[in-house]
Amino acid sequence: MQQTNLDSRPTATPARRRERPQGLRNMELGFLLFAYVIVLAALLQVQLGVTGKFDTRVLVLAGAVAALTLAMHMVLRFRAPKADPFLLPIATTINGIGIAMIYRLDLADSRTEELVLNSSMAQIIYTGLAVVIATVVLVFLRNHRLLQRYTYLFGLTALVLLLLPLIPGLGVSEANARVWISVGPFNFQPGEIAKIALAIFFAGYLVTARDSLSMVSRRFLGMRLPRMRDLGPIIVVWAICMAILVLQRDLGTSLLYYGLFLVMIFVATGRLSWVIIGLLLFVGGGTILALSWSYVHFRIQAWLNPLDPALYDAEGGSYQLVQGLFGIGNGGLIGTGLGHGRPDITPLAESDFIVAALGEELGLAGLFAILALYLIFVARGLRIGHEGGDDFGRLLATGLAFIVAIQVFIVVGGVTRVIPLTGLTTPFLAAGGSSLLANWIIVAILLRLSDTIRTEAAGSTPKGARA
């Protein structure tokens, strides 16, 4: 049987053994302090640009969040001293820039002083709660291998979470998509947590099933095609994603889950044929739905012909997309400056189109800087997966990194009209507690994975390895 690409990767390097935990944490602290300076400068520029004065309420709340991330850094010093030093500062920077832009949109939309901190205060509170929960995950998850024990439980949990919005009286519809549940005064998007559960399930399942999935029957057009009896997993995942698209009207979530599975099955088996088969299935299913479901057809037409008057003026049409494109165009190369543009003209600029809002006031240069931060974050996650000492950890780190990468591509691609618009949120940037919670948990798991990998590469046993 052909050896898979997971087994051919090195588990340790001399450079990795020479890394000193104290140096890693000091580097992380330096980057964190730099992140605080960037976020503080953004908040002050927003206040001066819009109101011409300072508001200490926002600065105090932002300082509280900074204190929580600093506390997470201190936990890393004692609980995960060899964890990656870049992930926490990057997440803090992107999250803080998002808070600054949401605050700026609050100031533009408010008519009275009482409404000024509506969405931005909620975002700050959600961020603090997400950082606390991520710290708790980091403390209690002593070793990532514990997650592999509950592979099928995580799969069942993901399925239940995906079905919750379809329950009458519990699920609510927003923007034609049924992806939210309402519990009292709180709304929550269970699909955000489901993506993490699915990544754990896919990693655990593919570790045990990769040998059979790597079996080949014959060559066709230069590719080694899998046996028909081994196509079951990809058919099941494809059917679930198509069901999500039909029942929840959520193209973004469907594309995210399916893309995650294709990436992980490719990493596990090294077979490009799985990716090609998966893409053909998704394109075929999407084409059928586009021809038979008016919702999907309308979304594609609005993408292809955004300036069509009928589509531009229609409810849920291309008005939002066009306004976002005009905003990015107005920003030019260096932007109008925080507090000096009109990003509030674009509907839902604090959530779906926060990339367009940032593009207007920070320009293409600012957008490229933010995308560079995402690129570094994903690259660090992939590096953790590449250097992992066990197959489950490698797959899990790769899957979690690709969750962020795929979301950024889908959101930025939709806003810039590369692909049709979807309902996904930009990781760490966009308003929403569900997304923040899920993404900070991803940070915590990646930090735990990186600490375990470095500890084992140095020849010692990490705490909780027997769990």
Side-chain angles (χ1 to χ4, degrees), residues 157-427:
T157 300
L159 186 59
V160 171
L161 290 172
L162 291 176
L163 292 175
L164 285 179
L166 301 177
I167 299 177
L170 184 62
V172 294
S173 297
E174 289 190 8
N176 297 321
R178 194 174 182 87
V179 296
W180 295 86
I181 61 173
S182 178
V183 180
F186 302 101
N187 286 344
F188 187 76
Q189 192 172 351
E192 291 289 341
I193 304 299
K195 66 186 181 185
I196 301 177
L198 279 176
I200 298 172
F201 168 71
F202 288 156
Y205 170 78
L206 291 173
V207 164
T208 58
R210 61 176 179 155
D211 289 336
S212 62
L213 293 174
S214 298
M215 295 293 292
V216 297
S217 56
R218 60 192 177 92
R219 284 183 175 272
F220 179 73
L221 296 178
M223 293 185 302
R224 293 183 177 272
L225 296 179
R227 300 174 300 183
M228 290 300 297
R229 62 183 180 182
D230 295 325
L231 291 175
I234 197 171
I235 296 296
V236 170
V237 175
W238 173 82
I240 292 175
C241 290
M242 290 299 104
I244 292 173
L245 181 56
V246 171
L247 299 177
Q248 297 186 354
R249 292 183 154 190
D250 192 354
L251 175 63
T253 299
S254 176
L255 184 58
L256 170 63
Y257 294 163
Y258 198 62
L260 172 64
F261 180 72
L262 290 184
V263 166
M264 295 185 72
I265 198 173
F266 171 70
V267 173
T269 64
R271 302 291 186 192
L272 184 61
S273 57
W274 281 110
V275 178
I276 296 176
I277 292 172
L279 291 176
L280 290 175
L281 284 172
F282 193 85
V283 171
T287 301
I288 294 173
L289 290 177
L291 296 175
S292 57
W293 283 77
S294 58
Y295 163 74
V296 180
H297 180 74
F298 178 78
R299 181 63 64 91
I300 293 177
Q301 287 300 313
W303 167 56
L304 294 175
N305 305 290
L307 296 179
D308 186 331
L311 297 172
Y312 182 83
D313 296 328
E315 182 179 358
S318 60
Y319 173 80
Q320 183 186 32
L321 173 61
V322 173
Q323 290 300 112
L325 291 173
F326 285 161
I328 295 176
N330 184 50
L333 180 61
I334 60 175
T336 61
L338 287 173
H340 296 284
R342 288 301 308 274
D344 53 297
I345 295 177
T346 304
L348 299 177
E350 74 283 356
S351 53
D352 293 359
F353 272 72
I354 195 168
V355 170
L358 288 166
E360 180 175 355
E361 300 208 332
L362 297 181
L364 288 179
L367 275 186
F368 286 156
I370 294 173
L371 292 177
L373 290 175
Y374 280 120
L375 181 62
I376 298 172
F377 184 95
V378 173
R380 301 303 295 185
L382 294 178
R383 182 180 180 183
I384 293 169
H386 178 76
E387 297 177 348
D390 65 291
D391 293 341
F392 175 75
R394 293 171 183 168
L395 278 174
L396 181 57
T398 302
L400 293 176
F402 263 97
I403 284 177
V404 177
I406 293 173
Q407 276 196 246
V408 173
F409 169 75
I410 291 175
V411 174
V412 177
V415 171
T416 56
R417 202 170 157 251
V418 174
I419 60 175
L421 278 174
T422 66
L424 291 181
T425 56
T426 316

Side-chain angles (χ1 to χ4, degrees), residues 12-19 380 383 387 453-454 457-458:
T13 62
R16 178 65 58 210
R17 295 190 185 99
R18 290 196 298 266
E19 287 182 342
R380 301 303 295 185
R383 182 180 180 183
E387 297 177 348
I453 291 167
R454 286 184 168 90

Side-chain angles (χ1 to χ4, degrees), residues 11-21 82 450-462:
T11 57
T13 62
R16 178 65 58 210
R17 295 190 185 99
R18 290 196 298 266
E19 287 182 342
R20 305 178 68 177
K82 296 183 179 180
S450 62
D451 176 69
T452 302
I453 291 167
R454 286 184 168 90
T455 301
E456 292 179 349
S460 57
T461 302

Side-chain angles (χ1 to χ4, degrees), residues 32-199:
L32 264 181
L33 295 177
F34 185 61
Y36 298 154
V37 172
I38 292 176
V39 175
L40 177 61
L43 289 171
L44 292 177
Q45 186 175 351
V46 164
Q47 291 182 345
L48 288 176
V50 179
T51 65
K53 59 182 180 180
F54 294 124
D55 187 345
T56 57
R57 292 177 296 174
V58 174
L59 300 181
V60 169
L61 288 173
V65 174
L68 290 175
T69 57
L70 191 60
M72 188 173 182
H73 162 76
M74 296 304 298
V75 170
L76 285 170
R77 283 188 176 271
F78 294 98
R79 294 287 186 172
K82 296 183 179 180
D84 189 278
F86 296 96
L87 296 177
L88 179 58
I90 290 174
T92 301
T93 303
I94 300 175
N95 202 157
I97 292 173
I99 290 174
M101 178 49 66
I102 295 170
Y103 176 51
R104 185 263 177 275
L105 292 167
D106 269 352
L107 293 176
D109 292 338
S110 298
R111 297 295 179 266
T112 63
E113 188 69 19
E114 289 73 14
L115 296 177
V116 164
L117 302 181
N118 188 13
S119 298
S120 52
M121 181 175 290
Q123 186 76 351
I124 292 173
I125 294 173
Y126 290 148
T127 300
L129 181 61
V131 172
V132 169
I133 294 177
T135 305
V136 171
V137 171
L138 192 63
V139 169
F140 287 96
L141 182 63
R142 299 294 186 88
N143 191 282
H144 66 273
R145 295 181 182 87
L146 179 65
L147 302 175
Q148 189 176 6
R149 291 185 179 182
Y150 306 101
T151 294
Y152 290 96
L153 179 60
F154 278 107
L156 178 62
T157 300
L159 186 59
V160 171
L161 290 172
L162 291 176
L163 292 175
L164 285 179
L166 301 177
I167 299 177
L170 184 62
V172 294
S173 297
E174 289 190 8
N176 297 321
R178 194 174 182 87
V179 296
W180 295 86
I181 61 173
S182 178
V183 180
F186 302 101
N187 286 344
F188 187 76
Q189 192 172 351
E192 291 289 341
I193 304 299
K195 66 186 181 185
I196 301 177
L198 279 176

